[in-house]
């Protein structure tokens, strides 16, 4: 193939053909009654009442997963994710089932077998098999979503790439974690798990490659395509070699679909030949551009700018390991809840948000132990009119009408976040939602060609008479991040630190605050405001970290250092930085140094363990395991129970409208927006 032409001289065998796998089947089993009986016997009846909502939802998830054949692929994915979280929460109970108790029997059938002759023998109380099978099915469902996506459009390709990447990540977890200690059918072996991981990684990479081939023929673009062909061929080769190395695997796959092995072989040979021909296009590191910006003037490129706004900041929206306890208490978007008295509530998997929060945050009797950072204030601003006028001038009135719903939502959220009467949980949800919208519309800024571009004005958090203004969106984003961090300190301050639950919420609120101040350091340089500088964000994060250390050293089974020296040392370092460092002139006049000085000493409170901690540890494990596989923003927008589709009611339709409108604009000959 010529290096001057990126079009393929020979057609890719079955270029649109993407492989997918079926889900595993299982027999029904009742989980509620034996597990509730176990909790009541091992702990107490009151403890069983605290967690019975989780057990009921666990049972419903499994029943729907097994018996409901009418579930769409996105709904089945929602159900499986919900069930997996419940499984992780109850997993510690399975180690406590005595030999004389009624066993819980899990039976799973091979996904590649058309009948039920290939099944796993009865394995009493083997929750490892159950978890492995659920992870397999999550990967299988994602593969089917990817294969069934309309890949001729930008959104269809992004959805398929997200889905195949998610499938690859689930099979990676199966290979590395869940299949190791499970005696199961051939589809749950390490060989098959690795092969499927490589297969779906290859398909995701291939879709990315197809998109690159549609871009221009610059030297750097040729370099990217050459590298991509090499990577795709290696993944297909590994998937093919793993199957070929095992006669039982060959027979098993062939009995399911005789074209699979031939398809893999053709993909391997095609990609290897293309990678070989394009090898000369690979540039040495010394010739790579510092920052490559590929410009294209078709609708696909413009659409990509909007999709990028969602994807580029997705890591900031994914549930974090820190702050999980806080979300379980406060967030209306999380279906699992802790309510007053420590009772756990698990709402059904098919119930959309918002979820009711019934946990009241009492005023703390020891509030002097924590410091609440001030919130930044801003002037009101009509973003709707500014954004809409920009679209009318830049594109057309018809295009502005198609996306005005998004602009209305942005404007409403901005007005809401400035209200003084919002509760702490509502303000936090509003700020997070608004930050997502800012990421989505960021490619529009700076709107220098608009008749009246918006000017964002924010006041200094520590010296309210000082204000900063900016046409670009960076000041707005940085200020929202600052307020998210400050809000976490307000939530922590409002907690009753004399109880273990209040202390847990306070710790998670401070972890949440620390996370947002960390993200702020990435935006601070572009914001150009004294209280939003990198050094300011770092010092505030250190203050938060010190308060976390103070609270954690009081918890039972804490991994923090005992005694007051480490915590007081942290406060000492902060005090020195604030009084003698570069921030001395900015913060020394505030009340923060006085607070830090008073915290050189620590105190202790008495706390006790709660039975719900057992389930919460499992929930945290589930969040950790699902974290990588669920970082799929386009795929998540399909969810019927996701906050960005149901509660907002607009993001996915608006994104589709943007795509359609931009493609229409391109056909009419208008000029797309400039690259920022």
């Amino acid at each position: 193939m010529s290096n001057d032409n990126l079009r393929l001289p020979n057609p890719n065998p079955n270029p649109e053909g993407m492989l997918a796998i079926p889900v595993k089947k299982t027999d029904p089993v009742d989980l509620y009654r034996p597990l509730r009986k176990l909790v009541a016997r091992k702990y107490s009846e009151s403890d069983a009442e605290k967690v019975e909502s989780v057990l009921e939802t666990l049972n419903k998830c499994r029943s729907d997963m097994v018996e409901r054949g009418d579930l769409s692929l996105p709904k089945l994915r929602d159900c499986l994710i919900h069930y997996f979280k419940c499984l992780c929460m109850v997993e510690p109970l399975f180690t406590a089932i005595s030999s004389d108790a009624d066993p819980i029997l899990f039976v799973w059938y091979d996904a590649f077998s058309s009948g039920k002759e290939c099944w796993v023998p009865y394995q009493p109380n083997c929750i490892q098999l159950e978890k492995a099978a659920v992870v397999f099915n999550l990967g299988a469902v994602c593969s089917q979503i990817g294969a069934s996506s309309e890949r001729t459009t930008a959104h269809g390709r992004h959805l398929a790439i997200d889905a195949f990447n998610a499938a690859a990540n689930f099979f990676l977890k199966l290979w590395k974690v869940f299949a190791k200690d499970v005696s199961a059918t051939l589809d749950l072996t390490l060989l098959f798990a690795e092969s499927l991981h490589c297969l779906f990684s290859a398909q995701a990479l291939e879709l990315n490659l197809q998109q690159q081939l549609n871009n221009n023929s610059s030297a750097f673009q040729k370099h990217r395509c050459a590298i991509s062909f090499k990577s795709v061929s290696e993944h297909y080769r590994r998937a093919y070699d793993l199957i070929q190395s095992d006669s039982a695997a060959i027979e098993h796959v062939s009995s399911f679909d005789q074209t699979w092995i031939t398809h893999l072989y053709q993909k391997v040979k095609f990609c290897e030949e293309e990678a070989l021909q394009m090898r000369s296009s690979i540039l040495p590191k010394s010739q790579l551009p510092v920052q490559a910006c590929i410009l294209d003037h078709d609708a696909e490129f413009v659409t990509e700018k909007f999709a990028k706004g969602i994807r580029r900041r997705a890591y900031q929206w994914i549930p974090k390991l820190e702050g999980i306890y806080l979300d379980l208490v406060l967030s209306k978007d999380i279906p699992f809840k802790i309510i007053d008295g420590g009772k756990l509530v698990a709402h059904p998997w098919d119930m959309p948000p918002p979820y009711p929060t019934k946990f009241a945050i009492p005023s703390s009797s020891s509030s002097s132990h924590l410091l609440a950072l001030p919130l930044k204030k801003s002037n009101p601003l009509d973003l709707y009119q500014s954004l809409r006028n920009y679209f009318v001038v830049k594109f057309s009135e018809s295009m502005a009408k198609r996306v005005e719903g998004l602009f209305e939502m942005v404007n409403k959220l901005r007005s809401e976040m400035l209200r003084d009467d919002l509760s702490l949980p509502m303000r936090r949800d509003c700020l997070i939602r608004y930050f997502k919208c800012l990421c989505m519309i960021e490619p529009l800024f700076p709107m220098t060609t608009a008749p009246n571009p918006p000017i964002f004005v924010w006041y200094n958090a520590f010296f309210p008479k000082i204000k900063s203004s900016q046409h670009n969106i960076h000041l707005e984003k940085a200020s929202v991040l600052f307020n998210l961090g400050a809000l976490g300190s307000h939530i922590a301050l409002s907690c009753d630190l004399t109880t273990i639950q209040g202390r847990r919420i306070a710790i998670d609120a401070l972890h949440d605050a620390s996370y947002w101040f960390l993200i702020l350091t990435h935006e601070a340089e572009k914001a150009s405001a004294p209280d939003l500088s990198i050094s300011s964000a770092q010092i505030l994060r250190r203050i938060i970290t010190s308060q976390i250390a103070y609270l954690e050293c009081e918890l039972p089974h804490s991994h923090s250092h005992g005694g007051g020296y480490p915590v007081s040392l942290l406060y000492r370092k902060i005090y020195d930085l604030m009084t003698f460092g570069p921030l001395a002139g900015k913060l020394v006049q505030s009340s923060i140094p006085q607070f830090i000085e008073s915290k050189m000493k620590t105190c202790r409170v008495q706390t006790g363990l709660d039975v719900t901690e057992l389930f919460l540890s499992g929930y945290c494990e589930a969040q950790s395991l699902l974290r990588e596989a669920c970082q799929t923003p386009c795929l998540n927008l399909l969810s019927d129970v996701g906050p960005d589709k149901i509660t907002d009611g607009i993001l996915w339709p608006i994104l589709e409208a943007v795509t359609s409108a931009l493609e229409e604009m391109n056909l009419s000959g208008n000029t797309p927006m400039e690259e920022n």
Side-chain angles (χ1 to χ4, degrees):
M1 162 176 167
S2 171
N3 290 333
D4 296 326
N5 188 351
L6 290 176
R7 293 189 175 277
L8 307 180
N10 299 310
N12 185 345
N14 194 15
E16 293 301 318
M18 292 287 166
L19 298 179
I21 60 172
V23 297
K24 292 175 66 65
K25 303 295 184 182
T26 182
D27 290 342
V29 60
D30 176 41
L31 295 176
Y32 173 76
R33 283 180 294 179
L35 291 180
R36 194 193 186 285
K37 183 179 178 181
L38 173 64
V39 174
R41 185 180 74 249
K42 184 174 178 60
Y43 298 97
S44 67
E45 177 61 28
S46 63
D47 287 332
E49 292 175 357
K50 284 185 176 182
V51 298
E52 67 180 348
S53 174
V54 176
L55 301 180
E56 289 170 350
T57 299
L58 172 81
N59 212 46
K60 181 184 185 303
C61 283
R62 197 181 200 283
S63 176
D64 289 347
M65 176 185 75
V66 175
E67 299 171 6
R68 288 189 58 181
D70 61 331
L71 294 180
S72 65
L73 292 175
K75 284 181 180 291
L76 182 54
R77 174 179 173 267
D78 289 338
C79 180
L80 288 167
I81 289 174
H82 210 72
Y83 180 54
F84 183 80
K85 292 178 180 179
C86 291
L87 269 182
C88 291
M89 293 176 79
V90 303
E91 182 174 8
L93 297 179
F94 280 79
T95 60
I97 297 178
S98 59
S99 57
D100 58 341
D102 294 335
I104 298 174
L105 303 176
F106 296 113
V107 179
W108 284 90
Y109 300 90
D110 195 295
F112 296 96
S113 175
S114 58
K116 288 192 173 183
E117 63 274 7
C118 295
W119 58 288
V120 177
Y122 292 112
Q123 297 188 34
N125 311 326
C126 184
I127 195 172
Q128 288 78 19
L129 169 63
E130 186 80 352
K131 290 172 68 178
V134 171
V135 171
F136 181 99
N137 278 359
L138 279 166
V141 167
C142 290
S143 76
Q144 293 176 36
I145 293 174
S148 61
S149 298
E150 176 54 63
R151 298 185 295 276
T152 60
T153 66
H155 290 321
R157 281 196 304 275
H158 291 314
L159 176 60
I161 291 170
D162 264 8
F164 286 132
N165 275 326
N169 284 330
F170 279 121
F171 285 111
L172 177 64
K173 293 294 184 185
L174 183 65
W175 169 33
K176 295 291 187 178
V177 181
F178 297 104
K180 285 190 172 182
D181 300 318
V182 173
S183 175
T185 46
L186 193 60
D187 57 347
L188 289 182
T189 59
L190 297 179
L191 181 146
F192 258 86
E194 183 183 359
S195 178
L196 292 173
H197 162 67
C198 294
L199 167 63
F200 296 122
S201 295
Q203 293 188 165
L205 289 168
E206 184 179 4
L207 288 176
N208 263 321
L209 175 58
Q210 288 177 8
Q211 186 163 309
Q212 292 173 28
L213 290 171
N214 292 329
N215 290 322
N216 63 33
S217 303
S218 67
F220 181 72
Q221 184 60 28
K222 295 174 187 176
H223 167 85
R224 290 181 65 189
C225 290
I227 295 294
S228 295
F229 264 119
K230 185 174 185 294
S231 181
V232 172
S233 67
E234 288 173 349
H235 279 81
Y236 273 127
R237 167 61 70 181
R238 180 60 178 165
Y240 176 76
D241 288 346
L242 284 166
I243 299 298
Q244 286 292 100
S245 67
D246 190 291
S247 58
I250 296 175
E251 182 180 354
H252 201 61
V253 171
S254 298
S255 65
F256 165 68
D257 187 342
Q258 294 183 350
T259 66
W260 258 55
I261 296 179
T262 302
H263 176 91
L264 282 176
Y265 178 76
Q266 289 176 341
K267 289 285 189 180
V268 169
K269 299 307 293 182
F270 170 80
C271 292
E272 286 181 344
E273 290 173 3
E274 293 301 316
L276 184 63
Q277 291 186 45
M278 296 189 67
R279 186 170 55 185
S280 61
S281 296
I282 298 178
L283 301 173
K285 289 184 179 181
S286 59
Q287 296 182 25
L288 290 177
V290 176
Q291 184 177 6
C293 180
I294 302 168
L295 297 177
D296 201 337
H297 296 291
D298 60 12
E300 292 287 324
F301 170 72
V302 182
T303 301
E304 170 65 13
K305 294 193 66 156
F306 281 88
K308 180 193 283 188
I310 292 179
R311 299 194 317 275
R312 68 190 299 188
R313 302 293 183 184
Y315 70 94
Q316 298 174 2
W317 314 343
I318 304 300
K320 309 172 291 298
L321 297 183
E322 303 85 0
I324 287 179
Y325 202 93
L326 179 68
D327 287 332
L328 291 174
V329 174
L330 301 181
S331 177
K332 292 185 177 181
D333 295 334
I334 305 296
F336 296 87
K337 285 281 166 286
I338 304 173
I339 62 176
D340 288 322
K343 183 177 181 180
L344 287 177
V345 174
H347 294 290
W349 70 268
D350 50 356
M351 174 181 173
Y355 305 102
T357 56
K358 300 179 181 179
F359 192 95
I361 302 180
S363 297
S364 173
S365 59
S366 54
S367 59
S368 62
H369 294 307
L370 298 178
L371 172 70
L373 301 172
L375 295 169
K376 289 177 67 66
K377 303 293 184 182
S378 177
N379 290 342
L381 179 65
D382 184 3
L383 272 180
Y384 168 77
Q385 204 60 49
S386 298
L387 291 167
R388 196 184 189 285
N389 288 344
Y390 175 76
F391 255 67
V392 171
V393 172
K394 191 71 178 177
F395 304 114
S396 67
E397 174 65 27
S398 62
M399 283 193 63
K401 285 183 178 179
R402 301 185 73 167
V403 297
E404 64 183 2
L406 171 63
F407 301 154
E408 288 173 350
M409 180 172 62
V410 171
N411 201 53
K412 179 182 177 181
L413 288 171
R414 193 182 197 280
S415 298
E416 288 290 309
M417 78 170 186
L418 297 179
R419 287 173 51 186
D420 293 327
D421 59 338
L422 284 183
S423 66
L424 294 177
M426 289 183 65
R427 186 180 297 278
R428 178 174 179 268
D429 282 346
C430 181
L431 285 169
I432 292 175
R433 208 169 289 250
Y434 181 54
F435 184 73
K436 291 182 182 182
C437 290
L438 289 178
C439 292
M440 188 173 180
I441 65 174
E442 183 175 2
L444 298 177
F445 287 84
M447 297 190 298
T448 52
T449 59
N452 294 298
I455 301 177
F456 300 104
V457 178
W458 284 87
Y459 294 89
N460 191 295
F462 304 103
F463 304 101
K465 293 183 179 180
I466 301 175
K467 66 179 181 181
S468 302
S469 61
Q470 191 181 74
H471 277 295
N472 215 324
I473 201 170
H474 304 302
L475 174 64
E476 185 82 348
K477 289 177 64 182
S479 298
V480 171
L481 289 169
F482 182 98
N483 277 358
L484 278 166
L487 195 66
S489 69
H490 282 258
I491 294 173
L493 182 69
S494 68
C495 294
D496 184 357
L497 302 184
T498 63
T499 67
I500 188 171
Q501 196 163 39
R503 191 165 285 255
R504 284 284 190 200
I505 298 171
I507 289 173
D508 268 29
L510 292 174
H511 273 301
D512 196 57
S514 176
Y515 170 79
W516 294 117
F517 282 123
L518 174 63
I519 301 302
L520 174 58
T521 61
H522 303 158
E523 290 285 342
E525 191 173 350
K526 306 172 187 176
S528 302
D531 56 340
L532 298 178
S533 65
I534 294 177
S535 55
S536 177
Q538 290 173 339
I539 198 70
L540 294 175
R541 190 163 182 257
R542 286 198 178 197
I543 293 173
I544 297 297
T545 301
S546 300
Q547 294 185 102
I548 293 172
Y550 160 72
L551 292 177
E552 285 186 338
C553 73
E554 311 298 337
L555 283 175
H557 307 293
S558 171
H559 296 291
S560 300
H561 295 287
Y565 176 73
V567 178
S568 62
L569 181 60
L570 287 172
Y571 280 123
R572 165 57 66 185
K573 289 181 177 179
I574 297 170
Y575 182 79
D576 291 342
L577 285 171
M578 295 185 66
T579 52
F580 305 110
L583 293 179
K586 299 176 183 178
L587 298 179
V588 73
Q589 298 175 22
S590 70
S591 61
I592 296 179
Q594 288 77 15
F595 170 83
I596 299 298
E597 189 173 10
S598 70
K599 297 313 299 172
M600 300 300 181
K601 298 180 181 180
T602 60
C603 60
R604 288 188 173 273
V605 298
Q606 295 298 319
T607 55
L609 288 173
D610 190 275
V611 66
T612 55
E613 294 290 317
L614 192 70
F615 277 42
L616 291 175
S617 64
Y619 180 82
C620 292
E621 178 196 353
Q623 289 292 87
S624 176
L625 291 168
L626 291 171
R627 182 176 172 85
E628 289 184 10
C630 291
Q631 282 184 339
T632 50
C634 290
L635 185 59
N636 288 341
L637 287 173
L638 287 178
S639 172
D640 283 340
V641 294
D644 295 326
K645 180 174 182 179
I646 299 300
T647 305
D648 291 343
I650 196 169
L651 283 184
W652 182 254
I654 286 298
L655 196 57
E656 289 180 327
V658 168
T659 302
S660 179
L662 289 172
E663 290 174 346
E664 182 182 278
M665 172 273 298
N666 185 64
L667 292 175
S668 66
N670 291 322
T671 305
M673 70 195 72
E674 73 276 3
E675 177 71 15
N676 292 336

